[in-house]
Amino acid sequence: IMPQTLPPTPFSNMIFFSHWKNGAFGGPRADFASYYGDHMVLQKKPSGAVVWGHGDLGAVVTVTLSGAGGLIIMEKTAHVKGPSGTWTTLLDPMNAGGPYALTAEQGRENVTLRDIYFGDVWLCSGQSNMAMTVLQVANASQELAAATRYPYVRIFAAAPSRSDVELQDLERIDLPWSIPTAENLGHGNFTYFSAVCWLFGRSLYEALGSPIGLVEVAWGGTPIEAWSSRRVLQACGLPKDMGSISPHQHLSGPQTPSVLWNAMIHPLLNMTLRGVVWYQGEANAFLNTDQYNCTFPALIADWRRAFHAGSAGQTEPLLPFGFVQLSTYRRRSVDDSFARLRWHQTADLGVVPNARMPSTFMAVAMDLGDEHSPYGSIHPRDKQNVAYRLLLGARAVVYGDKDLVFQGPYPTRAILEVTRGLLNVTYSQELICRQRDMQAFEVCCSSQASPCRWLPAPVVAVGFRTVTLALSGCGTLLLGLRYAWAQWPCEYQACPLYNPQGLPAPPFLLDTLPAGNAAGGRELLLLPGSRFPLN
């Protein structure tokens, strides 16, 4: 039940930076781990929330959840175990709502957390585009002014931290659990709180009507290897010894394998989560780009296994995982590293969810470029559309809205009209053409006299669900088809193809294989591209 009065003011739990471990104030005392505090959101039913903390070795800790007027809702006991000196308990599944108080008692000493709600908890991670604050986005003043309308969207931000070994608890916190304000949402540039995380969580609250907890763990300029456990690195054949990655000039954050997994993800594994949102990949356009089709699916699978185990099975095994496909960089660059990375973000299958990446959803962002961003074109300011597209994916994939269109149109069939030199590409959805781009589509052509090469295939016509491409200059064999394969594929919200809901058709790289004759020409089978070099 939502109270009519606003909860207490934020920052009242700043004392938890002190970590009252093992009687630091002169007597036996239990305390909560660093990321529990006043104003927090714990995961609601059907999952149970894991609660843990520190205490005196061998002591018994009593954990009590109480409601209005001190009415005890549930009581749990836990033993402080060695050598870590920690206790852990699992709360019974709770309906959405609050406020509640949570007390940990050891002997005659106790610590009480207040103004606690049950809802859905989402982890937001990645590099600088995730770290960009609400202060930095388009319409920042308007977004900040609206913050106080969402007192049941609670925010928490871990401080950037690295470690050579897996840590049990966070070393530092930038923002303890807080009620959103203009100050803590617009604290500074690339500090806290994440605009993508906030805008996504706020929209989710509007859609669901129940509390949302947002946990930010982000560090700019960091590659996926730093966020990966050694298991991921080993699975993808990457070096796991510390310092094995030589520093790259484009990357400002730590690049050493596993150091952010160790310090910023591993400590959170006991947390019961509803989902993850990830905005990372720009760093890997400069580093191990073509390993990302392994490292990204492997990271997702590894985080799922680790959070499921760490939460005593309460975080679901297929923890929903949303991500942002990369936007744009360097308008006139002939490099295609961003295009390759976008493709690898889908495990080279083009759309998600897919067989290699189940229970995932993606926000296409290649049409949200921002050449004049004061933070550099790699940091576009339109995070509202990013969050909206993530929201659609979450509602469809995570919350079961089966009738919601959450992704753009994708090719399903191609007919080659040999005599006319045309290729008719059929899409999965109705098409809206916003821009008749001469360079967006390319075909990989071959003849006996020359190797396969990519040539522009200008758009001749756009029908209800079909795009007709001209193949002038193409040889006798059509081996591949690709779309929007560039660092900067299109102008702001002006890619060639969208659906009626305004979602852009995602980029793709497809093999085209002969599949017999069809009405109007020769049928081509479209398969995820694998037969030729990416560039």
Side-chain angles (χ1 to χ4, degrees):
I1 298 172
M2 298 295 179
Q4 297 304 307
T5 56
L6 292 186
T9 56
F11 300 113
S12 62
N13 60 340
M14 288 290 281
I15 193 166
F16 282 96
F17 282 108
S18 62
H19 289 246
W20 297 334
K21 289 182 182 174
N22 300 328
F25 292 110
R29 190 157 199 153
D31 75 318
F32 294 91
S34 65
Y35 47 87
Y36 297 87
D38 297 344
H39 317 303
M40 71 179 168
V41 174
L42 293 173
Q43 181 58 42
K44 67 177 177 68
K45 68 178 358 179
S47 299
V50 174
V51 178
W52 72 281
H54 310 274
D56 290 343
L57 206 58
V60 175
V61 176
T62 301
V63 178
T64 306
L65 182 74
S66 54
L71 177 68
I72 293 178
I73 309 295
M74 75 179 79
E75 189 173 280
K76 303 284 183 176
T77 58
H79 289 83
V80 180
K81 297 178 180 178
S84 61
T86 60
W87 55 268
T88 304
T89 192
L90 176 62
L91 301 183
D92 299 335
M94 293 285 294
N95 289 321
Y100 296 97
L102 190 66
T103 299
E105 185 175 5
Q106 178 188 309
R108 290 177 295 175
E109 299 291 335
N110 66 75
V111 177
T112 298
L113 310 179
R114 304 187 187 279
D115 187 44
I116 293 166
Y117 282 76
F118 287 84
D120 277 349
V121 181
W122 283 79
L123 177 71
C124 301
S125 187
Q127 55 182 113
S128 55
N129 269 304
M130 180 61 82
M132 280 181 76
T133 66
V134 182
L135 182 70
Q136 297 176 269
V137 303
N139 302 319
S141 57
Q142 180 180 334
E143 299 291 3
L144 292 172
T148 54
R149 301 209 304 262
Y150 301 93
Y152 305 113
V153 181
R154 305 296 174 83
I155 56 178
F156 174 95
S161 183
R162 73 185 96 187
S163 173
D164 290 343
V165 296
E166 292 180 339
L167 300 183
Q168 184 180 58
D169 203 352
L170 296 173
E171 287 192 326
R172 294 185 301 120
I173 295 167
D174 269 346
L175 181 70
W177 280 107
S178 301
I179 299 159
T181 65
E183 289 72 29
N184 58 33
L185 286 177
H187 179 74
N189 291 345
F190 304 105
T191 53
Y192 57 84
F193 189 75
S194 164
V196 168
C197 192
W198 165 252
L199 294 168
F200 169 75
R202 184 187 75 181
S203 301
L204 203 54
Y205 170 77
E206 291 174 336
L208 301 176
S210 56
I212 299 292
L214 301 173
V215 178
E216 178 192 344
V217 282
W219 194 334
T222 51
I224 196 169
E225 291 80 4
W227 295 99
S228 302
S229 75
R230 294 192 168 200
R231 293 180 297 273
V232 172
L233 303 171
Q234 186 174 11
C236 295
L238 292 169
K240 61 182 179 179
D241 55 304
M242 295 303 167
S244 59
I245 295 181
S246 58
H248 195 286
Q249 59 179 355
H250 285 91
L251 308 187
S252 58
Q255 300 164 52
T256 307
S258 302
V259 292
L260 304 185
W261 158 267
N262 291 340
M264 299 179 74
I265 300 300
H266 190 269
L268 303 178
L269 294 182
N270 290 353
M271 183 182 287
T272 308
L273 296 178
R274 188 66 182 95
V276 175
V277 173
W278 174 259
Y279 196 157
Q280 191 278 335
E282 296 89 348
N284 287 97
F286 306 111
L287 181 73
N288 292 335
T289 305
D290 291 323
Q291 280 75 48
Y292 206 86
N293 59 1
C294 179
T295 50
F296 188 37
L299 175 137
I300 294 172
D302 187 64
W303 283 25
R304 285 171 168 169
R305 183 207 60 78
F307 275 101
H308 179 67
S311 64
Q314 298 304 299
T315 295
E316 59 185 278
L318 281 180
L319 171 66
F321 204 104
F323 63 95
V324 183
Q325 194 179 45
L326 292 193
S327 184
T328 54
Y329 183 54
R330 291 183 175 171
R331 179 199 293 272
R332 294 165 189 86
S333 174
V334 295
D335 184 19
D336 73 341
S337 60
F338 266 54
R340 283 159 37 222
L341 204 289
R342 290 186 198 108
W343 183 244
H344 294 328
Q345 285 181 290
T346 68
D348 298 355
L349 293 172
V351 291
V352 299
N354 60 45
R356 290 191 63 200
M357 300 171 67
S359 195
T360 60
F361 54 97
M362 173 176 76
V364 175
M366 67 178 180
D367 66 329
L368 302 178
D370 186 356
E371 189 174 19
H372 303 294
S373 169
Y375 316 105
S377 67
I378 204 167
H379 298 120
R381 288 167 289 181
D382 181 357
K383 295 297 192 274
Q384 288 88 346
N385 267 302
V386 169
Y388 173 68
R389 293 169 185 180
L390 285 170
L391 172 72
L392 293 179
R395 286 178 59 191
V397 174
V398 184
Y399 294 98
D401 191 339
K402 301 301 182 188
D403 298 324
L404 190 70
V405 176
F406 67 98
Q407 52 193 347
Y410 202 74
T412 58
R413 187 184 185 202
I415 304 291
L416 179 63
E417 295 186 53
V418 179
T419 56
R420 299 178 63 197
L422 299 176
L423 182 67
N424 296 306
V425 182
T426 301
Y427 274 79
S428 59
Q429 301 172 24
E430 181 183 345
L431 297 173
I432 303 295
C433 181
R434 291 190 184 177
Q435 185 72 33
R436 191 68 67 85
D437 190 333
M438 303 296 283
Q439 303 291 324
F441 287 92
E442 297 171 284
V443 288
C444 196
C445 297
S446 178
S447 66
Q448 293 179 345
S450 63
C452 176
R453 58 195 179 108
W454 290 104
L455 296 171
V459 175
V460 174
V462 179
F464 180 67
R465 284 194 175 187
T466 305
V467 176
T468 300
L469 306 175
L471 301 181
S472 56
C474 201
T476 56
L477 286 176
L478 178 61
L479 299 180
L481 174 69
R482 69 187 188 184
Y483 170 73
W485 200 265
Q487 302 283 85
W488 199 291
C490 48
E491 296 311 303
Y492 180 74
Q493 293 200 11
C495 277
L497 300 178
Y498 290 77
N499 63 14
Q501 291 78 17
L503 297 176
F508 61 75
L509 173 70
L510 300 174
D511 290 345
T512 55
L513 302 177
N517 295 322
R522 186 182 303 161
E523 178 95 25
L524 295 179
L525 193 63
L526 300 178
L527 297 172
S530 61
R531 294 189 298 170
F532 30 72
L534 293 179
N535 52 11

